[in-house]
Amino acid sequence: MKVYRNLFESIISTENLFEAWDVFKRDKRNRPDVERFEKNIEQEVFNLSHELRTKTYWHGSYYAFLIRDPKLRNINKATVRDRVLHHAIFKILNPIFEPTFILTSFSCRIGKGTHKGVEYLANSLRAVSQNNIHSCFALKCDVRKFFDSIDHETLLGVLRRRILDEDTLWLLDNVINSYETGFTRERERERESKNAPKKGVPIGNLTSQLFANIYMNELDQFVKHELRVKYYARYTDDFVILSDDRAYLESLIPQIAGFLKTRLSLSLHPDKVFIRKYNQGIDFLGYVILPKHVRVRTQTRRRIFKKMRKQVVLFKNGIIGKPTLLGSLNSYLGVLSHADAYELSEDLKNQFWFWMND
């Protein structure tokens, strides 16, 4: 295993921080906190670099808010300077860890994504079933409260196996320990008194996407190289295993659950572990894959129409412009284009023009 030293200077250099700023600010420049930061950008970046070099930097607090996508999620947003640093860290660390990930890990990776994941799964289902001639089953699993349950020491332990740079590890420890699931002063005192582990990474951080892939890569390697599973796809904490043998898939569940518990302090969601036949439809990443077609999940379809209706209302109230509105429409049509959804696409376009002229 290749290890890396002397990464710290690459991360905290003003050149890297300015490049991180350029990436971060795209499509955010009209936001008040970003505008304030940009007014004094050179001094902000030089100050940040100095604080990091002298180790007087301390990650700031988070602004918490809720979104529904489609379930209710707690998002924690860091300050602009901290988010610029997240981009700087990501820029240096992602090329180190990206080559270690398996090909069928599809979350938050260049050239991957939901549509590639669905395409892989559809092709694999056809391969296992030999074009629906033989039986094919899918084991579908979901990790319970994944982001809230990531153990800080376990994550740092995985990072330490590849990074042998104490300064970089100091910085990663600073970022990772800047957040704790359900943090309160009372909980902190209780945790310290019981020596309980700190858990959780905030969904809103760019670094959290990388940390999630690094963390779950431990499971990926176990499934592929120890369990020797051939057909496996994962997106964040949602994963699918295919086989023509239902009993084989059933035998994998306790092995995977045991690995998650003992090695990663995670657990499978008790209500989201099931085995389905291919001809029943395999629900994955917003689509339902069937032998002869792919359809959009009912919940996804409802969410698309609901969000598009809201975008039209925002446009009519002058909150968003026409490019943003049409961009949303084209984005949703793009989602539908990956399924057999011609009539649904036409219905969305008709509804859009109806809402516009209502």
Side-chain angles (χ1 to χ4, degrees):
M1 178 189 295
K2 185 176 181 180
V3 297
Y4 293 82
R5 299 176 173 86
N6 305 318
L7 297 172
F8 190 62
E9 183 58 39
S10 297
I11 295 172
I12 70 169
S13 70
T14 54
E15 179 183 5
N16 189 50
L17 291 172
F18 275 117
E19 288 179 4
W21 161 253
D22 288 337
V23 174
F24 166 78
K25 71 182 180 182
R26 293 172 189 167
D27 70 23
K28 297 186 184 73
R29 300 181 75 166
N30 61 340
R31 299 180 184 178
D33 55 346
V34 177
E35 288 179 346
R36 287 193 298 270
F37 192 85
E38 188 170 28
K39 285 180 179 178
N40 197 26
I41 182 59
E42 290 191 0
Q43 193 61 51
E44 291 282 5
V45 168
F46 284 120
N47 286 346
L48 178 57
S49 179
H50 175 74
E51 288 180 26
L52 290 163
R53 182 168 282 103
T54 58
K55 293 187 178 178
T56 55
Y57 167 82
W58 193 255
H59 195 288
S61 57
Y62 292 85
Y63 166 69
F65 58 96
L66 297 173
I67 64 169
R68 189 173 293 279
D69 186 36
K71 63 182 180 182
L72 204 62
R73 294 184 184 276
N74 185 25
I75 304 298
N76 288 270
K77 182 179 176 182
T79 64
V80 171
R81 78 194 301 259
D82 290 331
R83 283 182 283 159
V84 170
L85 177 59
H86 298 165
H87 278 265
I89 293 171
F90 184 89
K91 184 174 181 293
I92 302 302
L93 295 193
N94 191 58
I96 292 172
F97 287 95
E98 173 66 27
T100 71
F101 300 151
I102 65 172
L103 293 175
T104 56
S105 163
F106 293 97
S107 175
C108 304
R109 297 175 64 193
I110 296 173
K112 302 292 184 178
T114 57
H115 299 139
K116 291 289 185 180
V118 171
E119 180 183 354
Y120 165 79
L121 189 60
N123 291 336
S124 298
L125 286 162
R126 285 193 290 270
V128 174
S129 68
Q130 296 185 27
N131 288 322
N132 206 32
I133 295 174
H134 298 289
S135 296
C136 177
F137 302 91
L139 168 62
K140 183 82 161 36
C141 299
D142 191 295
V143 175
R144 185 175 183 272
K145 295 184 177 179
F146 171 59
F147 282 97
D148 284 347
S149 302
I150 292 176
D151 182 86
H152 290 191
E153 278 307 309
T154 301
L155 173 58
L156 286 165
V158 175
L159 291 167
R160 288 187 191 106
R161 294 207 302 261
R162 193 162 286 270
I163 299 174
L164 300 183
D165 177 350
E166 290 303 317
D167 292 331
T168 299
L169 290 169
W170 164 81
L171 175 58
L172 295 177
D173 182 90
N174 196 321
V175 172
I176 291 168
N177 283 296
S178 67
Y179 174 85
E180 182 179 4
T181 301
F183 174 82
T184 62
R185 293 299 176 190
E186 292 73 17
R187 177 168 176 153
E188 174 72 1
R189 286 193 289 269
E190 179 184 357
R191 185 187 62 77
E192 290 180 351
S193 66
K194 296 180 179 179
N195 198 28
K198 293 183 73 172
K199 292 179 179 287
V201 296
I203 295 176
N205 283 3
L206 175 64
T207 48
S208 295
Q209 298 174 10
L210 176 60
F211 294 153
N213 272 334
I214 292 171
Y215 205 76
M216 288 298 281
N217 185 52
E218 299 294 295
L219 173 66
D220 297 342
Q221 300 299 329
F222 172 73
V223 169
K224 295 299 291 184
H225 299 297
E226 294 191 41
L227 298 182
R228 297 186 178 277
V229 170
K230 183 175 182 179
Y231 296 102
Y232 167 80
R234 181 183 62 80
Y235 192 98
T236 313
D237 61 333
D238 188 2
F239 58 94
V240 182
I241 298 174
L242 307 181
S243 175
D244 59 1
D245 185 345
R246 184 185 184 101
Y248 166 69
L249 293 178
E250 290 174 347
S251 73
L252 294 178
I253 297 173
Q255 296 181 75
I256 292 172
F259 178 87
L260 287 171
K261 182 178 180 180
T262 57
R263 296 283 293 276
L264 299 177
S265 300
L266 300 174
S267 60
L268 293 175
H269 196 298
D271 300 325
K272 296 182 180 180
V273 176
F274 50 83
I275 297 173
R276 288 178 65 88
K277 292 181 179 179
Y278 181 19
N279 58 17
Q280 292 177 302
I282 309 305
D283 189 331
F284 189 54
L285 304 179
Y287 298 87
V288 179
I289 307 168
L290 291 143
K292 294 185 178 180
H293 66 283
V294 177
R295 63 179 176 83
V296 178
R297 184 194 294 163
T298 301
Q299 192 176 36
T300 302
R301 183 171 67 247
R302 289 173 179 167
R303 189 166 72 251
I304 286 173
F305 277 76
K306 183 178 180 180
K307 287 189 172 182
M308 196 65 244
R309 180 75 177 100
K310 286 184 177 179
Q311 289 295 88
V312 171
V313 171
L314 292 174
F315 171 73
K316 287 185 171 182
N317 290 332
I319 298 173
I320 63 173
K322 193 170 184 178
T324 301
L325 176 68
L326 295 178
S328 296
L329 176 62
N330 289 328
S331 176
Y332 292 133
L333 290 173
V335 170
L336 299 178
S337 71
H338 291 272
D340 299 296
Y342 173 79
E343 292 184 1
L344 188 58
S345 296
E346 292 300 304
D347 188 24
L348 178 61
K349 286 186 279 189
N350 290 334
Q351 284 292 327
F352 172 77
W353 293 115
F354 173 77
W355 292 327
M356 288 292 289
N357 295 299
D358 185 16

